[in-house]
Amino acid sequence: MEILIKNGNIINPDNSQILDILIQNGHIAQVGKNLKVAVSQTRVIDASDRYIFPGGIDPHVHLHLPTPAGFSSDDFYSGSRAALFGGTTTLIDFVTPHRGQSLVDALVERKAEAASSLIATYFHVSPVEWRDSTADEILECVHEYGIKSFKCYMAYKNNIGLDDDDLFKVMLVVGKAGGLVMLHCEDGDAIERLRHQYAQREMPAAKAHLMSRPPELEAEAVKTAIALAKKAKCPIYIVHVSSLLSLAHIKEAQKNGQQVYAETCPQYLLLDKSKYDLDFEKAAAFVMSPPLRTTTDNEALWEALAKGSIATVGTDHCPFMLKQKMVGKSDFRKIPNGAGGIEHRLALLFSYGYLKNKINLQRFVDLTSTRASQIFGLFPQKGILAEGANADLLIWNPKTANIISSQSHHQNCDLNIYEGFPTIGHPEIVIADGKIRIENGKLI
Ligand code: URP
Ligand code: ZN
């Protein structure tokens, strides 16, 4: 199918121009002025008064994640469908083996689970232990399966987390192989002690979750990770940065020339810890790790987005139904951690970032697409509107008003942490791999 998009305001990370885009065979064939249709069946779309953005890339998604409270409630079909409605055309999920399983076997298994995804789907692989074979498994993932990023958890030490010695071993191998280590930074041992202490106290469950994961323990882990990575000469990407304290270490490392990338998520920009004062049925939706912080942290993160010390905005999309959250009503340690957001990332960033003058449109594109593409090895096929790139793009109406609600969202969840949030702007037409996937509010 050939598509000609006329007169759209094409936004790339380094420029914006009103031009036409011709799409052929899944790729952007031409970008220019007054382009003419090449064949008679060409679909011509007038995009006057619309922005054209590169399709969103969400680098942090947990679809169909197994937990003791059941799987996260979006599987690869429903989660990718919600992503498309929100303008995300590529996602990167995780391969989390169980201890004793090889990374490669887990990767093959996870790829099969993701077969129902409607959009381009890639993976970060998580070494959850160090075994004699781990170095070879990492290298096989890199060389045979094109994996670039390996996610390690400094929290959750009793099942998937690594101690510092093993983390260092992973960094040495990954760094040498030209890859990147992603990190969930929270000091797992200290948090485990606090969780035990708070479990003995009379306290609302969501509040106990908050109290057991203070920002100091995130920042301490960030500091340790940066020091280990420096010694191992390994680039790192710190996921879901939530606090001002962590940012200070990240900025310092970046100033010293270390390859340290940081990601935050809309929830850490727009929500704060007052949510944990609500009744359990409401507060449980916001139980995630790290927890929500203060409005001062929110503002510091916005500033870091604008100035560039934060490279990307991912969602950490990991929704659970209320009945799954209820599992932890009398023991906060059993509340499944996570919340959904894959559908709302672009509209939230457009409404509360661009329209509130916190970031410009170039930065919007960089944060939602281009930087993730570059960091995770998808560039220049993805994340840019240029000749030869994959035709993943959004025709964005900047004027439409919407109110986020679990009644109308496409995520498979009866909760929405952005319930009632007004947004402006939405992707009227979503094109992925050269095909129209969303038009007139419908999946095609
Ligand atoms: O609370 C969260 N973030 N849940 C998803 C798993 C993780 O920790 O990334
Ligand atoms: Zn996550």
Side-chain angles (χ1 to χ4, degrees):
M1 184 191 194
E2 186 172 284
I3 305 171
L4 179 61
I5 304 170
K6 301 285 292 174
N7 301 315
N9 190 353
I10 296 175
I11 312 294
N12 270 315
D14 48 4
N15 60 58
S16 59
Q17 270 178 298
I18 297 186
L19 293 170
D20 303 341
I21 295 184
L22 181 68
I23 296 170
Q24 286 173 334
N25 304 321
H27 288 84
I28 297 178
Q30 279 184 66
V31 180
K33 278 196 194 324
N34 300 318
L35 298 184
K36 301 280 179 284
V37 294
V39 292
S40 57
Q41 304 92 327
T42 304
R43 165 87 191 267
V44 180
I45 301 172
D46 178 16
S48 308
D49 304 322
R50 303 288 187 267
Y51 293 120
I52 315 292
F53 296 139
I57 300 174
D58 192 335
H60 190 160
V61 174
H62 301 274
L63 299 173
H64 195 61
L65 176 81
T67 78
F71 287 96
S72 58
S73 59
D74 262 321
D75 61 16
F76 280 91
Y77 175 77
S78 65
S80 61
R81 183 168 175 269
L84 273 175
F85 274 101
T88 286
T89 53
T90 299
L91 64 86
I92 318 184
D93 202 290
F94 297 88
V95 174
T96 315
H98 48 81
R99 285 187 174 152
Q101 187 183 25
S102 94
L103 298 180
V104 176
D105 288 353
L107 172 58
V108 171
E109 216 172 274
R110 191 74 172 146
K111 279 186 169 202
E113 280 173 11
S116 59
S117 176
L118 299 173
I119 62 177
T121 298
Y122 299 90
F123 297 97
H124 314 289
V125 171
S126 283
V128 295
E129 61 190 331
W130 185 267
R131 304 184 296 159
D132 290 347
S133 56
T134 302
D136 288 340
E137 292 170 23
I138 289 173
L139 295 177
E140 193 175 344
C141 287
V142 172
H143 299 303
E144 304 298 324
Y145 294 89
I147 298 294
K148 183 170 165 56
S149 41
F150 293 84
K151 161 110 176 262
C152 299
Y153 294 82
M154 296 171 83
Y156 311 134
K157 291 240 180 98
N158 52 354
N159 49 23
I160 55 174
L162 295 183
D163 64 25
D164 292 355
D165 285 349
D166 289 347
L167 175 55
F168 184 66
K169 289 177 194 154
V170 172
M171 286 177 172
L172 278 176
V173 176
V174 172
K176 237 189 196 151
L180 176 85
V181 167
M182 294 177 94
L183 288 150
H184 175 130
C185 289
E186 284 187 303
D187 179 340
D189 294 330
I191 284 174
E192 224 26 72
R193 283 192 291 276
L194 285 179
R195 275 159 63 82
H196 182 74
Q197 281 169 24
Y198 279 103
Q200 317 305 315
R201 295 195 195 172
E202 282 293 315
M203 185 182 273
K207 194 90 182 168
H209 173 77
L210 168 71
M211 300 302 287
S212 66
R213 307 188 94 97
E216 290 77 9
L217 295 184
E218 178 189 334
E220 199 46 44
V222 166
K223 189 173 159 201
T224 304
I226 288 172
L228 291 172
K230 186 174 180 190
K231 212 161 129 202
K233 297 190 174 54
C234 179
I236 52 172
Y237 175 102
I238 301 174
V239 297
H240 49 48
V241 174
S242 71
S243 80
L244 176 62
L245 288 175
S246 297
L247 271 179
H249 296 299
I250 290 164
K251 286 183 193 167
E252 179 71 16
Q254 290 171 343
K255 203 172 81 198
N256 295 335
Q258 199 177 332
Q259 228 177 325
V260 175
Y261 303 105
E263 167 202 274
T264 192
C265 313
Q267 56 270 34
Y268 300 116
L269 294 163
L270 297 169
L271 304 171
D272 67 73
K273 66 181 187 176
S274 61
K275 299 290 182 197
Y276 301 118
D277 297 331
L278 300 167
D279 289 344
F280 182 81
E281 279 73 4
K282 292 237 156 61
F286 302 92
V287 170
M288 60 185 75
S289 296
L292 301 173
R293 305 293 191 195
T294 65
T295 51
T296 309
D297 293 289
N298 299 156
E299 285 314 311
L301 292 168
W302 276 116
E303 195 190 319
L305 279 192
K307 293 204 171 142
S309 40
I310 292 184
T312 61
V313 175
T315 55
D316 198 4
H317 180 81
C318 190
F320 293 96
M321 297 282 188
L322 178 59
K323 72 169 189 295
Q324 294 178 285
K325 293 279 186 181
M326 292 301 281
V327 168
K329 187 165 183 185
S330 55
D331 181 349
F332 77 94
R333 295 170 297 180
K334 297 195 174 130
I335 307 172
N337 283 200
I342 200 167
E343 186 170 351
H344 309 305
R345 185 176 61 119
L346 275 77
L348 287 169
L349 218 60
F350 187 82
S351 306
Y352 294 93
Y354 170 60
L355 293 177
K356 301 272 186 204
N357 294 320
K358 289 190 155 115
I359 52 171
N360 63 26
L361 281 181
Q362 272 69 40
R363 196 75 191 112
F364 170 82
V365 160
D366 221 14
L367 288 162
T368 56
S369 184
T370 315
R371 291 299 281 136
S373 172
Q374 291 167 334
I375 293 168
F376 297 109
L378 306 174
F379 196 82
Q381 287 76 29
K382 293 186 183 288
I384 187 101
L385 299 171
E387 289 175 9
N390 289 9
D392 295 342
L393 55 90
L394 318 176
I395 302 181
W396 186 272
N397 182 334
K399 298 256 163 70
T400 41
N402 186 29
I403 304 234
I404 295 179
S405 171
S406 62
Q407 303 294 311
S408 54
H409 71 196
H410 299 86
Q411 301 171 156
N412 181 39
C413 193
D414 53 3
L415 302 170
N416 192 314
I417 54 172
Y418 306 106
E419 188 73 37
F421 263 64
T423 58
I424 305 282
H426 87 293
E428 229 165 35
I429 295 184
V430 177
I431 298 177
D433 275 329
K435 297 185 191 73
I436 295 179
R437 303 309 311 271
I438 301 286
E439 190 172 16
N440 297 323
K442 292 206 164 53
L443 176 73
I444 298 167

